[in-house]
Amino acid sequence: MNANGTTGTRLYFATDLRAADRCFTKFLSAASTYDAQVLVLGGNLTGTRMAPVVRHRAGEWRAVLDGVPVELCTDREVAGFERRAADVGAYAFRTDPDELAALDDDPAAVDALFHRLAAERLRRWLELAADRLPEDRVRLFVCCGNDDPTALDALIDDSPAALLTEGRAVELDDRRVLVGVGYSNATPWQCERDLPEEELAQRLATALDGVERSGAQLVLHTHCPPYDSELDSAVVLDEELRPRTEAGQEIVAPSGSTAVREVVERYEPVLSLHGRALESRGYVRLGRTLAVNPGSEYSDGILRGVLVDFDTDGVAHHLLTSG
């Protein structure tokens, strides 16, 4: 029996951690904090920035984090900076002025370095999950997001600590299956997993094939929220990726997927879990479906999530969490 008196599975979901170590550590702790048997980690797992730590002279390093320049005089100070950067989702790496100048002139090398650092961060997270989560009591499901390199799927699939849900129906408990799709409708950033709505609809259909016939309750996890659901409000950007304004106010509009909305309305999952629109934290009822976007404040080290208790009929209780 769970703390609120409900018998059955308890699930904790968080998303858009953006490589922030502090939030991921809190996410793993949610299993014991909330007595959850299932953890679901959504994309985007990848960070958005690198923080070079530049060696200028023996015993002197310089770096910048959140616009603040720092000088570091010992290896201990450098290691402390690297931890602070990782806590807020930045990829710190040690370099020198010549190497940094070479990177400035070689976008392909920058891209390769970024992908390597992203893979290293995720690999370390998965190792930490294997070490901290009790294998016999907590299951971890992971799905990437539209801004995550596709190569990360293989790391998750190879991990003994996690189950990759991308494009699959996996057993969540004896009554429910979980289907994950991290691909997204098109965004202004033209991310690696952005797709036209027609292709996203086909990917969703393939992932959900056979779910109706199974008779199991469906828990759907798509990184992008359903279109015009109140979980997908986002600032409209112009061609230069700057916020569009009207009368001095930023214009906000739905940014979600029509394909996801159609799937939710057709399959009526008992629960649908979403992310991407970080500011649209909340939950709504779409027919019989409880749809949730817990939002994210990864850059402040705050873990946003949702706690869900299931019973025989579906969702018994849910609670948005922050900490």
Side-chain angles (χ1 to χ4, degrees):
M1 180 173 291
N2 293 321
N4 65 2
T6 300
T7 57
T9 302
R10 173 171 283 181
L11 175 151
Y12 183 81
F13 169 67
T15 185
D16 294 277
L17 300 194
R18 287 291 190 184
D21 271 2
R22 184 177 299 166
C23 286
F24 183 72
T25 301
K26 292 179 180 180
F27 173 77
L28 293 181
S29 297
S32 57
T33 300
Y34 298 117
D35 190 24
Q37 298 85 47
V38 172
L39 297 180
V40 180
L41 179 61
N44 292 320
L45 307 173
T46 309
T48 60
R49 53 192 169 143
M50 295 189 290
V53 183
V54 185
R55 186 184 184 101
H56 283 269
R57 293 191 297 271
E60 181 183 326
W61 301 77
R62 296 175 187 171
V64 177
L65 184 62
D66 294 330
V68 180
V70 295
E71 293 189 1
L72 310 163
C73 298
T74 66
D75 286 343
R76 182 175 180 179
E77 289 180 353
V78 172
F81 174 87
E82 291 169 335
R83 287 192 298 271
R84 293 194 302 276
D87 275 345
V88 296
Y91 299 121
F93 67 98
R94 303 186 189 192
T95 186
D96 58 49
D98 291 339
E99 183 181 48
L100 193 61
L103 285 171
D104 286 340
D105 294 332
D106 190 347
V110 173
D111 190 60
L113 174 61
F114 182 86
H115 279 70
R116 177 175 66 81
L117 294 172
E120 288 174 358
R121 180 72 49 87
L122 179 58
R123 188 178 293 109
R124 182 162 56 79
W125 280 11
L126 293 169
E127 291 170 354
L128 193 62
D131 182 58
R132 294 194 180 182
L133 294 179
E135 186 177 350
D136 58 336
R137 291 191 292 110
V138 179
R139 303 177 73 199
L140 170 61
F141 299 89
V142 183
C143 189
C144 289
N146 63 312
D147 205 16
D148 291 320
T150 54
L152 297 186
D153 284 357
L155 292 180
I156 301 165
D157 214 17
D158 289 343
S159 169
L163 282 171
L164 177 70
T165 64
E166 176 62 57
R168 304 172 179 176
V170 296
E171 182 183 280
L172 188 137
D173 60 20
D174 59 357
R175 290 184 178 272
R176 283 159 282 269
V177 296
L178 172 66
V179 173
V181 173
Y183 287 74
S184 171
N185 58 314
T187 70
W189 295 276
Q190 301 179 355
C191 298
E192 190 166 342
R193 301 188 200 228
D194 284 356
L195 295 174
E197 288 282 8
E198 297 79 10
E199 292 183 31
L200 179 58
Q202 183 56 55
R203 186 171 286 271
L204 287 161
T206 300
L208 290 161
D209 183 46
V211 169
E212 286 180 306
R213 296 189 299 274
S214 73
Q217 294 176 2
L218 171 63
V219 176
L220 179 66
H221 172 210
T222 64
H223 185 60
C224 57
Y227 179 76
D228 199 18
S229 60
E230 301 179 16
L231 304 178
D232 65 328
S233 298
V235 175
V236 178
L237 303 179
D238 64 17
E239 295 79 7
E240 306 272 326
L241 300 181
R242 297 172 304 194
R244 291 179 56 189
T245 60
E246 187 174 281
Q249 300 295 316
E250 292 182 343
I251 300 172
V252 176
S255 65
S257 164
T258 55
V260 171
R261 178 79 186 230
E262 289 167 3
V263 159
V264 170
E265 292 175 349
R266 173 187 168 183
Y267 286 86
E268 297 183 312
V270 294
L271 175 69
S272 64
L273 302 168
H274 311 286
R276 202 187 72 177
L278 307 189
E279 304 87 352
S280 290
R281 172 178 169 85
Y283 60 89
V284 296
R285 283 282 178 183
L286 300 176
R288 299 180 182 179
T289 300
L290 173 67
V292 185
N293 177 359
S296 174
E297 290 189 65
Y298 72 92
S299 60
D300 294 324
I302 298 171
L303 179 66
R304 302 291 198 189
V306 62
L307 194 64
V308 178
D309 284 315
F310 294 103
D311 61 14
T312 302
D313 297 325
V315 174
H317 306 281
H318 70 278
L319 177 69
L320 291 170
T321 66
S322 179

